[in-house]
Amino acid sequence: MVKTKKPAGKTIKRNAVASSSSSLKQPRAGRQKELVVHNPENEPIPEPLSVHPAQLRREHMEREAQAQRQPPRLRPDWKGGFLDDIEYKWQAELFDWKMSKNSDRKDGFMCEKEISIEDFKPFGLVQKFEALGWEAALKCYDGETGKVYMDAIQEWVGRLQMDSGTKPPETMTLTGWVGEVKVIMSFETLNEIAKFDSKEGRYTFPKEVELYHPEKNKKWDTMLKDVFEPGKGKEKKMKKEELKLPLRLLLTFGQQNVMPRRSDRAGIRDSDIPILHCLMKGKPKISYRYLVMMNIWTSRNYREKQLIPHCRLITALLKKYGAITGTSKFFMLPKGYAPFILEKLGPYGWEYVKIDRYHKLKNAGRKWRGLRPDARMLLAGEEDEANSGDSVMGESDGEDAEEVAMGANVGTSSGMHDVEDVSEFVERERHEDWSSWPDFAQVLYDKLTRLGEQQKRDRDRNELWHRVHAYNEQKEINDRYLDDKRRRLNGDASVGEPPLHHSAWLDPEQDAPPEGYLDMMKGVFGDPKPPHH
């Protein structure tokens, strides 16, 4: 047996084979270890063999058929919690499932109504929206008379995503899709439709718990006292007819355009109180755009809310982005969009009558009137109608009719009825940073505000008082003049003398009566007789 030399630097073990035929023995090549590839189940994968393309196609088709025969993955059950917590790819389908629970599909779409400015401005209601910069909420901007694009609206809301941005909530956006069209609702895009939040200064953005559960607010009792009639609103279930009279109508507007809902419209929810309070007081200035976006997002996110609010504003936004076109499907309301006008308040519990100078409303026994914009001026000596006991509105209940709402003396005949108490005015006029001031500064600010308002009201009363007395004095002068003129003319006619024009520019003694005048007077009155009074 002959051993071969080892290569330098390597130690290789191999068997040497003896050969009798050759004296020179060549080394055999070393046997290499076979490389075997394993799959995840640790089973060896055989070397690929050449396969005919037709065989590959058949195998591919068999795999597809097997995949189709497998049961599809089921969507998750939405038993509770927020829709936003579920995987996004299922959210649109689950939202459609929630909306399908409405007995009538169109009941799930809450459309705003326009509010007639001419009709409700005499009652001081339009001014309350203007004080908050919410006057744009009185109108609609979709350009429609009765079309509801339910498919497009539902798809956009179902596919929504919220982005808080870098400085929430001002930078909050709601992004959705209609087909392949991306539509973004933000503070900026809403203002491109209409000038919402038009007042200067900073607006407030209450948290969700403050907006929908305000009963936890430390000012809750104060808000209840301000919006309800004295001694009312203390029960757990608050009633609409216990609100102060103007707020009953503001609640009707709010349930349609501000905090929309379709059910329980005769009642009052806790979330209605902060909105009514800020409308009545003019502060805090809550952002209307923020309310719109929060209403849409919460209605989508909560399982029990089967309603899409602000549909007409959504329609205007979708049209702006081109997501709604002339070929988009729609549902036509049989009666179209009916606006809020005085003549159509009957379904909401109001009686309306228009008389000579006033619009009159009555709700649950309480009367309310506003001076018509086209009211005629009172004639000299004519008295305005009384404030109470209006038979045209039904039997009087002993309560005086309210002139106008919450400090707006529109249509008052006397001007001496202070609708808003001075203390309420002082509270409403406080500066935004008043609560952070030291005590002495708060007291001084309130004292000066009260003093200025009281002086203004005193001046108004004095001016009205002087006007009344000046009118009476002038009326007395006019009556005396007419009486003296009648006496003089009667005396002249009795003695057959013609009536003369008594003036500082004419001398009655030089003016002779016309020829034949005395004969004519005798024919009418007979022979002259002694004057008598």
Side-chain angles (χ1 to χ4, degrees):
M1 180 178 290
V2 180
K3 295 184 179 180
T4 59
K5 292 182 180 180
K6 297 186 294 183
K10 294 185 180 179
T11 303
I12 302 176
K13 292 183 179 181
R14 56 182 178 270
N15 296 327
V17 181
S19 176
S20 61
S21 62
S22 177
S23 61
L24 295 178
K25 305 298 182 181
Q26 298 295 332
R28 290 186 177 182
R31 189 173 15 178
Q32 295 183 355
K33 192 175 181 179
E34 184 181 359
L35 180 63
V36 180
V37 181
H38 293 73
N39 61 13
E41 287 75 16
N42 202 26
E43 296 178 355
I45 299 177
E47 294 183 2
L49 302 176
S50 60
V51 182
H52 195 276
Q55 177 67 20
L56 291 176
R57 288 195 296 270
R58 283 194 297 270
E59 292 177 356
H60 179 69
M61 294 175 61
E62 289 177 0
R63 286 195 297 268
E64 286 186 347
Q66 184 178 2
Q68 292 177 0
R69 287 193 296 269
Q70 292 179 354
R73 182 182 175 186
L74 298 177
R75 72 185 182 195
D77 290 333
W78 186 12
K79 297 181 179 179
F82 299 135
L83 179 61
D84 194 42
D85 295 335
I86 302 175
E87 191 177 358
Y88 178 73
K89 69 177 183 179
W90 298 108
Q91 291 181 15
E93 185 177 349
L94 290 172
F95 180 77
D96 293 342
W97 166 79
K98 179 184 77 167
M99 294 295 294
S100 67
K101 298 175 70 174
N102 287 305
S103 57
D104 191 341
R105 186 188 179 192
K106 64 177 180 292
D107 291 340
F109 297 81
M110 193 71 176
C111 298
E112 305 93 309
K113 288 187 176 183
E114 293 197 355
I115 300 171
S116 173
I117 295 178
E118 294 182 356
D119 282 7
F120 297 103
K121 198 164 189 175
F123 293 92
L125 299 181
V126 175
Q127 293 86 326
K128 294 304 159 185
F129 283 85
E130 293 174 344
L132 293 173
W134 289 5
E135 61 272 15
L138 304 175
K139 296 294 182 180
C140 299
Y141 306 94
D142 57 351
E144 298 293 346
T145 58
K147 294 180 181 179
V148 185
Y149 297 89
M150 295 189 293
D151 291 347
I153 294 173
Q154 184 168 324
E155 181 181 358
W156 182 76
V157 177
R159 299 174 66 184
L160 276 181
Q161 289 180 305
M162 175 188 279
D163 183 7
S164 299
T166 58
K167 190 181 178 182
E170 292 95 330
T171 56
M172 178 177 65
T173 61
L174 297 179
T175 304
W177 286 261
V178 180
E180 299 299 325
V181 181
K182 181 180 180 180
V183 181
I184 300 175
M185 176 180 284
S186 65
F187 281 40
E188 291 74 20
T189 57
L190 286 175
N191 262 8
E192 292 174 4
I193 296 175
K195 191 176 181 181
F196 299 102
D197 301 337
S198 61
K199 283 291 181 181
E200 296 182 357
R202 183 174 178 82
Y203 278 82
T204 60
F205 307 93
K207 298 179 181 178
E208 184 174 346
V209 65
E210 298 172 345
L211 196 59
Y212 299 103
H213 301 282
E215 65 277 4
K216 301 178 182 179
N217 193 320
K218 61 181 181 180
K219 295 183 179 181
W220 177 248
D221 293 335
T222 302
M223 289 191 289
L224 292 179
K225 182 180 178 181
D226 290 340
V227 301
F228 282 99
E229 296 283 359
K232 303 293 184 179
K234 297 181 179 180
E235 300 179 4
K236 184 176 181 180
K237 187 174 182 181
M238 298 174 285
K239 300 179 182 179
K240 191 174 183 178
E241 57 269 18
E242 295 180 349
L243 287 170
K244 291 181 178 178
L245 190 58
L247 294 178
R248 301 177 194 176
L249 198 49
L250 285 175
L251 178 62
T252 301
F253 297 160
Q255 290 172 344
Q256 197 77 31
N257 290 11
V258 183
M259 299 290 283
R261 70 170 183 263
R262 193 176 296 279
S263 61
D264 192 26
R265 294 177 68 92
I268 303 175
R269 296 180 180 177
D270 292 344
S271 57
D272 296 327
I273 300 300
I275 303 302
L276 293 176
H277 190 263
C278 76
L279 279 170
M280 183 181 70
K281 296 293 185 179
K283 61 176 58 176
K285 292 191 299 182
I286 301 176
S287 170
Y288 181 76
R289 292 172 293 176
Y290 173 74
L291 289 179
V292 169
M293 297 176 71
M294 288 298 295
N295 289 337
I296 294 174
W297 182 250
T298 55
S299 67
R300 174 192 187 272
N301 227 15
Y302 284 80
R303 182 177 180 272
E304 62 275 9
K305 293 188 176 182
Q306 302 160 12
L307 183 74
I308 300 177
H310 306 289
C311 286
R312 299 189 69 179
L313 186 55
I314 294 175
T315 301
L317 186 66
L318 297 184
K319 283 187 172 183
K320 177 179 178 297
Y321 278 85
I324 290 180
T325 62
T327 59
S328 299
K329 295 182 179 180
F330 61 86
F331 168 78
M332 190 71 183
L333 294 177
K335 297 182 180 180
Y337 293 123
F340 282 114
I341 57 176
L342 289 172
E343 291 82 357
K344 301 295 184 180
L345 291 180
Y348 304 99
W350 293 85
E351 301 176 29
Y352 168 70
V353 171
K354 180 171 69 173
I355 59 174
D356 185 21
R357 301 183 71 245
Y358 289 96
H359 297 297
K360 288 194 172 186
L361 292 172
K362 184 177 181 181
N363 176 266
R366 298 298 306 276
K367 302 173 184 178
W368 190 15
R369 73 178 186 178
L371 185 66
R372 291 169 50 187
D374 58 346
R376 62 175 181 82
M377 297 294 293
L378 291 175
L379 301 176
E382 182 181 6
E383 294 184 359
D384 201 359
E385 65 173 280
N387 293 346
S388 60
D390 300 319
S391 58
V392 292
M393 294 296 292
E395 295 296 326
S396 175
D397 55 5
E399 299 181 9
D400 291 342
E402 298 194 23
E403 283 289 335
V404 290
M406 304 171 292
N409 281 330
V410 181
T412 52
S413 58
S414 65
M416 307 213 23
H417 173 58
D418 293 332
V419 180
E420 183 181 36
D421 187 70
V422 177
S423 59
E424 295 181 356
F425 176 83
V426 170
E427 182 180 351
R428 182 168 60 84
E429 291 298 314
R430 285 173 178 169
H431 193 271
E432 294 180 356
D433 301 329
W434 181 89
S435 57
S436 62
W437 294 352
D439 293 341
F440 77 91
Q442 294 179 353
V443 173
L444 181 61
Y445 186 87
D446 288 351
K447 183 176 181 180
L448 293 177
T449 305
R450 180 184 296 273
L451 179 62
E453 178 64 15
Q454 194 62 56
Q455 290 177 348
K456 178 180 178 299
R457 297 189 182 197
D458 290 343
R459 287 195 301 269
D460 293 342
R461 289 191 183 94
N462 292 335
E463 182 181 359
L464 180 61
W465 185 263
H466 290 313
R467 285 182 180 179
V468 170
H469 280 274
Y471 172 80
N472 291 335
E473 291 175 3
Q474 185 63 43
K475 189 173 183 301
E476 178 68 19
I477 294 173
N478 294 343
D479 290 343
R480 287 174 178 255
Y481 166 77
L482 292 175
D483 182 69
D484 180 71
K485 182 178 180 180
R486 292 190 187 97
R487 289 172 179 269
R488 178 175 56 79
L489 292 177
N490 184 61
D492 292 343
S494 298
V495 296
E497 295 181 1
L500 301 177
H501 177 70
H502 291 267
S503 169
W505 304 100
L506 296 175
D507 185 0
E509 299 299 333
Q510 297 179 0
D511 292 338
E515 184 178 356
Y517 177 79
L518 294 179
D519 295 336
M520 181 186 69
M521 296 297 293
K522 288 180 181 180
V524 174
F525 297 102
D527 294 333
K529 299 179 181 179
H532 64 278
H533 298 290

